[in-house]
Each structure stands twice: as C-alpha cells, then as structure tokens.
Amino acid sequence: MRRATAKPLGGLALAALLAACAQQQAAGPAARVYAVDLQGQAKNCTVPTNVSLRPERATDATMSLDNDGGWCGVTVAQPGPKPYDYGVVRTRPSNGRVLIRTVGDRTRVDYFPNAAFGGTDNFAVRLMPGGVEMNVAVTVAYTPPPAPPAPPTPPARTPARRR
C-alpha cells in the first residue's frame, strides 16, 4: 500500500492561494435559502420581481394568487443586497395575515389569505432601517371545491311476505 505524500507549495503558489482566500473572505458568505423557505407557496403567485423602495414616499406593489392554502410573497432588500432588520405591519389586511421575515440576503413580505376567501385585499408595511413603506394591493382567486356527489338512492323496500 502506498501513502500519498504532500509536496510543499512554492512561494508563488502559496501567495496565490492566500490571495484567493482573502478575496473570498472580503466578499462574505453566500446567502443561504433553504427548502423550508419555499414550502407552502401558492401554486399561482404573481408579484413584481424588482420592487425598489424609496424613503421619500410609499411604494405601491401588486400581488395576485390562487387561494389554495398557500402564501404569496414580495421580496425586497436594502442595497448590497441585505435584508431589513425588521418590519411592522402598518395596515392589516381584512381577509388574511402578513408575515415579514428574512430569507437569505433579502426580506420577504408574505400574505396568507383566509380560508375560502376570494376577492381583493390590501395591507401596508414599514421596513427598518430607513422607514421605507410598501402598500400592497392583493387579488385572491378562489374556486370552491366541487360538491360531493349525492349518495345513491336506496332501493325501494318491498314488504316481507307472511307465510
């Protein structure tokens, strides 16, 4: 059995390796998005891909989704990109709930419609730092499930004969 032996790195190779490590550390770790961050999304969720929030005025965004028990979310970020530290719901939706959370290097504002709701809804959030605001108009499509089939009609009973 042969053993592998490590060969010493030359000065130039060692310098290149150290320079590469320094560049990776300066760039920082890559953002991580886990599968759990994506589970439960509505099958049909349409949101703008690039929402640019400005501190001088509230930004309007739209969202449309099918109410199949899932959520729909608008993703935003500070320059860098980096997530906002926290967010508050300024105006609550009438027919659902809102969750503000960090996903990777961004902040996602998720809307969960109430069960069996279809129609329009809206909400507003404020994200910090910066106090930027976003007003979201939501359109929810809901198709009720088909009614279960009627039970079969039992056969008519004939009276029993007496003997």
Side-chain angles (χ1 to χ4, degrees):
M1 196 178 212
R2 291 182 88 177
R3 281 190 165 179
T5 57
K7 295 182 180 178
L9 293 174
L12 187 58
L14 181 59
L17 181 62
L18 291 174
C21 288
Q23 287 176 352
Q24 285 180 346
Q25 287 178 348
R32 294 183 182 157
V33 177
Y34 297 95
V36 71
D37 293 325
L38 304 174
Q39 290 179 347
Q41 184 175 17
K43 289 182 179 119
N44 181 18
C45 169
T46 306
V47 293
T49 56
N50 190 9
V51 177
S52 179
L53 302 177
R54 297 184 195 115
E56 60 271 3
R57 65 182 178 100
T59 301
D60 294 329
T62 59
M63 171 187 296
S64 65
L65 69 145
D66 287 344
N67 190 349
D68 55 10
W71 53 267
C72 188
V74 176
T75 303
V76 295
Q78 296 182 73
K82 65 180 186 175
Y84 287 92
D85 292 342
Y86 67 95
V88 293
V89 178
R90 301 268 300 164
T91 305
R92 292 176 182 253
S94 302
N95 298 291
R97 59 190 170 91
V98 174
L99 175 66
I100 303 168
R101 63 177 162 172
T102 298
V103 177
D105 56 357
R106 301 188 181 279
T107 299
R108 194 172 70 206
V109 180
D110 295 339
Y111 172 80
F112 297 80
N114 291 340
F117 169 71
T120 59
D121 205 353
N122 58 61
F123 63 91
V125 297
R126 176 178 279 173
L127 302 169
M128 301 303 273
V132 293
E133 293 193 19
M134 180 172 61
N135 300 320
V136 182
V138 184
T139 303
V140 180
Y142 176 70
T143 304
T153 307
R157 296 180 112 191
T158 56
R161 288 189 191 176
R162 291 187 175 211
R163 291 188 195 191

